[in-house]
Amino acid sequence: MPELLFELGCEELPAFSVRSAYTQLAQEITDRLDQAGVAHGATVVMGTPRRLVVSVAEVADHQPDSVKEQRGPALGAAFDAEGKPTKALEGFCRGQGVDVARVERREDYVWVTQKVAGRPTPELLAEVLPGAVRALDFDKTMRWGGSKMRFARPIRWMLAAFGGRLVPFEVEGVKSGLESRGHRFEAPGTFKATDLASLLKGLRKRRVEPDPAEREKMGGATQTQYSRK
């Protein structure tokens, strides 16, 4: 099943808030997938002050179908004395897009049961990802420029790929894409990434180590090889 890759790029966050931010971001994304009934596998999270990275493995490409039950008018209001449908019942059925003959009589009410087709995961992700970004909580937030959303720092880019393809959406004028950025000073250009492997390879080639655990292993002297940017 496809991999979801999301990188949120921004101006430099306070170092102490990075771990909390990427942990929150992953939780918000997976919670929303769970609520939508979209199966998924393990999550990989990492980040630096300029980027929060979340990868979710084995994400189902489609939301499962579901069954929806809707209660309508009481039986006494749904049928007249001769047992014929009333205007109330007819209006209810029009609203549900079903024929009057399909209603069920249960618990003194009429009911309609319908199968609801699941939505494609890319379509859901176009709502899930911006929702997760907007839900991030920081100790201190501001509105930046003409933005209406409060956030810790201005958002500069968003990389959003599902199965190697772009998930298009926008947050406060910033559109998602398939490009990341290297070290701010030593390799400031953009490069394409469509999965976690290509993102990590591209960042490390451009003097950025996004994994905090790897940066800790490097130690002070070796930190000159890679930056947290």
Side-chain angles (χ1 to χ4, degrees):
M1 289 191 285
E3 174 196 355
L4 166 64
L5 173 66
F6 182 53
E7 180 190 39
L8 176 66
C10 59
E11 291 297 318
E12 193 158 336
L13 295 167
F16 66 84
S17 69
V18 173
R19 187 179 298 274
S20 171
Y22 64 63
T23 301
Q24 278 189 69
L25 183 59
Q27 191 66 56
E28 291 290 344
I29 291 172
T30 54
D31 282 352
R32 284 166 167 74
L33 290 176
D34 292 340
Q35 289 165 13
V38 177
H40 59 84
T43 301
V44 175
V45 297
M46 58 185 68
T48 74
R50 290 190 66 218
R51 70 194 73 234
L52 309 175
V53 178
V54 177
S55 168
V56 186
E58 300 181 334
V59 181
D61 59 11
H62 212 275
Q63 183 184 39
D65 295 342
S66 61
V67 175
K68 175 186 175 184
E69 288 192 324
Q70 183 66 46
R71 192 180 76 176
L75 292 176
F79 299 95
D80 63 19
E82 297 177 357
K84 296 180 180 179
T86 63
K87 290 186 179 299
L89 177 57
E90 290 173 347
F92 167 71
C93 290
R94 278 196 302 273
Q96 298 299 311
V98 300
D99 189 86
V100 171
R102 283 190 54 191
V103 301
E104 303 171 49
R105 306 185 190 200
R106 286 189 278 122
E107 303 168 354
D108 296 324
Y109 290 89
V110 295
W111 292 79
V112 169
T113 302
Q114 299 186 77
K115 183 178 180 180
V116 180
R119 296 167 63 191
T121 297
E123 183 180 306
L124 289 167
L125 288 173
E127 300 169 4
V128 165
L129 296 177
V133 172
R134 294 180 185 278
L136 291 180
D137 182 40
F138 296 92
D139 291 335
K140 184 178 180 181
T141 60
M142 293 179 64
R143 290 187 177 89
W144 303 91
S147 173
K148 296 180 180 179
M149 183 181 76
R150 298 184 67 89
F151 206 73
R153 295 291 188 272
I155 296 172
R156 295 306 187 201
W157 77 90
M158 294 182 295
L159 188 163
F162 179 65
R165 296 186 177 184
L166 172 68
V167 179
F169 62 91
E170 184 176 321
V171 176
E172 296 296 324
V174 180
K175 294 182 179 181
S176 60
L178 292 176
E179 290 187 335
S180 181
R181 303 183 186 183
H183 188 280
R184 175 181 291 182
F185 305 114
E186 299 179 24
T190 62
F191 66 95
K192 184 176 180 179
T194 56
D195 54 27
L196 183 60
S198 61
L199 177 64
L200 295 181
K201 181 179 179 180
L203 289 175
R204 287 166 178 160
K205 182 178 179 180
R206 292 164 177 82
R207 302 183 64 78
V208 176
E209 176 50 68
D211 188 344
E214 290 299 318
R215 291 201 301 273
E216 289 176 9
K217 290 178 184 178
M218 291 176 184
T222 317
Q223 283 284 5
T224 56
Q225 296 179 1
Y226 292 96
S227 167
R228 65 181 188 176
K229 299 290 187 180

